[in-house]
Amino acid sequence: QLGAEQRLRAPAQEGTRVPSGLIRIHPVQENPYPAVAMHKVQKPTEGCHLRLHQKPFPRLDEGTVQWIIDQATAKLQTAPPAVKAEKKCMVPSGPPIAAILERNGNALANSARRLEVVRNCISYVFENKMLEAKKLFPAVLRAMKGRAARHCLTQELHLHVQQNRAVLDHQQFDFVIRMMNCCLQDCTAMDEHGIAAALLPLVTAFCRKLSPGITQFAYSCVQEHV
């Protein structure tokens, strides 16, 4: 092999004939150096994968854009208005009017009956008819769940304060305090400037005599409410 390679690389002498089977080969062109190959392909720069490769937006012609807008406006002005097709359907009939009126009438009647129970119980208390007041008292406590009954309580108690009947005996005081506590217990934040505000002057008016010179006012028994 070494002899063949020397024959391939040896230059032909003048006057000598090169055999047809021998070809000259330049070793640099056959096996290029690695350094030369590395310069042909450049390495990507750092952070190139983070850049967005998008072309810049083309410059728009102002006249062309305005012409397109004018064409679209003209089409909208000449086009007929869009009308949505109505879909007809059968609506099922609801409850009869008589049933609705009867249900509303029953609700109003029940509300009026509760308010009447509240008024009667308060009247019995201030008339010292404690047996009748005890019979109605559970119904009064249940009625306090409704805003109308709580408002009725404040109105009735206010009437008795105006009649100078704010000084109570022990039984009357206990009944009034229990109704006030129940009323305030069922109050919400919406009643702060309504029911609670109406009760504020009442709890400083109703009182009872504990002993000579000692008076207990109603606010001392209801002041724990929010």
Side-chain angles (χ1 to χ4, degrees), residues 6 31 51 58 63 67 72 89 102-103 111 115 130 139-140 144 197 204-205 216 218:
Q6 289 178 352
N31 296 318
R51 295 194 297 268
W67 179 81
C89 60
E102 182 180 0
R103 183 167 61 249
S111 178
L115 299 182
M130 297 305 172
V140 172
M144 288 296 120
T204 58
Q216 182 184 15

Side-chain angles (χ1 to χ4, degrees), residues 71-226:
Q71 292 293 324
T73 304
K75 289 182 180 180
L76 292 176
Q77 292 177 352
T78 57
V83 179
K84 186 177 180 180
E86 296 182 358
K87 184 179 180 180
K88 298 180 180 181
C89 60
M90 294 295 297
V91 179
S93 59
I97 300 298
I100 298 177
L101 294 177
E102 182 180 0
R103 183 167 61 249
N104 292 339
N106 292 336
L108 293 176
N110 292 334
S111 178
R113 193 177 301 113
R114 294 192 194 98
L115 299 182
E116 189 65 24
V117 169
V118 173
R119 295 189 184 98
N120 291 338
C121 183
I122 294 175
S123 298
Y124 291 150
V125 169
F126 283 91
E127 293 172 2
N128 281 322
K129 298 180 180 180
M130 297 305 172
L131 185 59
E132 289 79 359
K134 289 181 180 179
K135 293 179 181 178
L136 297 179
F137 199 71
V140 172
L141 298 183
R142 290 194 300 269
M144 288 296 120
K145 298 293 184 181
R147 182 181 177 85
R150 297 195 295 269
H151 185 64
C152 178
L153 174 66
T154 59
Q155 288 181 329
E156 293 297 319
L157 294 179
H158 182 69
L159 291 177
H160 289 284
V161 171
Q162 290 180 336
Q163 297 172 5
N164 295 324
R165 305 175 67 179
V167 181
L168 310 175
D169 60 24
H170 295 297
Q171 281 189 318
Q172 290 174 330
F173 189 82
D174 290 338
F175 270 98
V176 172
I177 291 300
R178 290 182 64 185
M179 286 188 287
M180 286 183 173
N181 276 322
C182 185
C183 179
L184 290 173
Q185 181 180 357
D186 294 323
C187 283
T188 61
M190 298 177 60
D191 299 322
E192 181 178 357
H193 303 289
I195 305 300
L199 279 176
L200 189 59
L202 300 178
V203 298
T204 58
F206 286 107
C207 61
R208 65 176 173 179
K209 298 291 185 179
L210 295 179
S211 62
I214 299 179
T215 303
Q216 182 184 15
F217 287 88
Y219 71 82
S220 63
C221 302
V222 299
Q223 60 185 354
E224 298 298 328
H225 292 279
V226 179

